[in-house]
Amino acid sequence: MTAKIKEEKIGKLRIYLKSGETVKGEKLIHKIFPENKYKRMLDEAKKSGILNAHIYHTHAASERGGEVAHHQAEGDNNGLMVCLELVDKKEKLELFFSKHKTMLKNKTVIYSEVEIWSFDE
């Protein structure tokens, strides 16, 4: 007997950030040594209860027609892009996007509807 696949519509948000971007925090240590923006956004996604949150590092990238940056084994890779991918219901992703509009200003942010699969038991 073949198990039936249950499909549910869900959203995926991709946020592209430069790996070297930082943001100052509230704690003294984060005011002196700012945090990576993409790591802060990942922490914020966890606090918001986002279903899935992933960070993908790139090996080469060009943002908005700019110069191509390549990964270097022994060099500065701060110009490379990272992709923070969030998966959850559209309403929850919209709330996250709105709440963090300051950090996401002038960033490439892509939303798409996807299906999440499970087995109907």
Side-chain angles (χ1 to χ4, degrees):
M1 185 163 121
T2 306
K4 185 171 175 160
I5 296 174
K6 180 181 170 186
E7 301 170 0
E8 179 185 354
K9 300 290 183 194
I10 199 162
K12 177 170 65 173
L13 196 65
R14 285 189 164 192
I15 303 167
Y16 294 91
L17 304 157
K18 283 192 177 175
S19 59
E21 287 183 278
T22 59
V23 61
K24 291 188 177 185
E26 296 300 316
K27 296 179 182 177
L28 178 62
I29 189 77
H30 293 140
K31 288 180 180 179
I32 298 169
F33 302 105
E35 297 177 271
N36 275 331
K37 187 180 275 190
Y38 70 89
K39 288 180 182 176
R40 167 72 77 77
M41 301 278 309
L42 181 68
D43 290 341
E44 291 292 323
K46 174 135 175 72
K47 286 178 193 171
S48 297
I50 298 292
L51 181 63
N52 286 21
H54 308 99
I55 294 174
Y56 300 103
H57 293 271
T58 60
H59 297 284
S62 171
E63 182 184 27
R64 299 180 183 233
E67 291 189 32
V68 176
H70 294 277
H71 173 76
Q72 299 173 20
E74 294 183 16
D76 181 19
N77 291 307
N78 283 338
L80 286 178
M81 301 300 292
V82 292
C83 174
L84 173 61
E85 183 178 87
L86 307 176
V87 177
D88 211 316
K89 294 185 177 173
K90 183 176 184 177
E91 298 77 25
K92 208 166 188 181
L93 297 174
E94 286 175 341
L95 184 63
F96 183 87
F97 180 75
S98 296
K99 183 178 178 183
H100 299 93
K101 64 184 175 189
T102 304
M103 281 199 283
L104 296 173
K105 186 177 180 181
N106 298 322
K107 301 297 170 208
T108 301
V109 180
I110 299 170
Y111 173 83
S112 59
E113 185 177 271
V114 294
E115 290 180 351
I116 189 165
W117 289 4
S118 59
F119 289 107
D120 197 16
E121 305 201 44

